[in-house]
Amino acid sequence: MKKIIALLLVLTCWAVHPQGVNGPLDSVILTQADAMGKAFIAKDYTSFIKYSHPTVVQVMGGQRKMLDETVKSFQEFEKQGVVFLSVSFGAPSKIVKTEGELQCTFVEMIEMRIPGGRLTAYTNVIAVSRDNGANWYFIDCSDNSIVNMRLLIPSISTELVLPEPIGPAFEEDPKP
């Protein structure tokens, strides 16, 4: 029985953080993305924005202003009846090395309750590490193309490719 439980634990850990195309770095990327997602769901926006790329923070007017804008934006969502339920992530793409950075992309899935049902939104994320993969910054691309993202952050590699956007999925509440 102990062997079965131990095997299940190993398989569960493997399923949560599988070794993908980038070996152990995939696990590091997904662990840090998961920490960012948990901070987001917990409304710990101070921790959440620590994962934002420094150029994005600068464009937003600095960390304090970005925090204020983030809080304000999500308070507006709450007023509209939006409740964020979970965040999950797809497997990272092959890492590209450029200008002393590691870069890759992955898909983020955000599940939320909205008036009338549940909505799952999909967005592309660019992950960037400036310290050889120890720490990662994440850039939500929303509906932006890779060309637009390079205008914002010129260090984004021309080898990096964003996956085709995936439209949202809506599940209507059952009718009583």
Side-chain angles (χ1 to χ4, degrees), residues 88-145:
S88 58
F89 307 95
S93 67
K94 184 177 183 304
I95 290 175
V96 173
K97 295 179 183 182
T98 184
E99 297 184 29
E101 295 182 346
L102 301 179
Q103 302 175 0
C104 66
T105 64
F106 58 84
V107 175
E108 174 183 60
M109 291 80 59
I110 303 173
E111 185 179 353
M112 60 196 93
R113 170 150 289 297
I114 64 172
R118 285 181 184 248
L119 181 72
T120 302
Y122 301 87
T123 188
N124 289 317
V125 175
I126 297 173
V128 176
S129 175
R130 294 179 165 176
D131 58 7
N132 210 30
N135 297 289
W136 291 85
Y137 297 113
F138 304 107
I139 308 157
D140 183 330
C141 298
S142 298
D143 292 327
N144 291 303
S145 70

Side-chain angles (χ1 to χ4, degrees), residues 6-37:
L7 179 62
L8 287 174
L9 284 173
V10 168
L11 290 174
T12 301
C13 291
W14 177 80
V16 172
H17 296 290
Q19 297 296 313
V21 295
N22 304 302
L25 281 178
D26 280 354
S27 181
V28 174
I29 295 164
L30 292 174
T31 296
Q32 290 182 28
D34 188 53
M36 175 191 64

Side-chain angles (χ1 to χ4, degrees), residues 77-97:
F77 281 125
E78 285 180 10
K79 286 180 187 174
Q80 295 173 18
V82 176
V83 177
F84 294 93
L85 303 172
S86 68
V87 181
S88 58
F89 307 95
S93 67
K94 184 177 183 304
I95 290 175
V96 173
K97 295 179 183 182

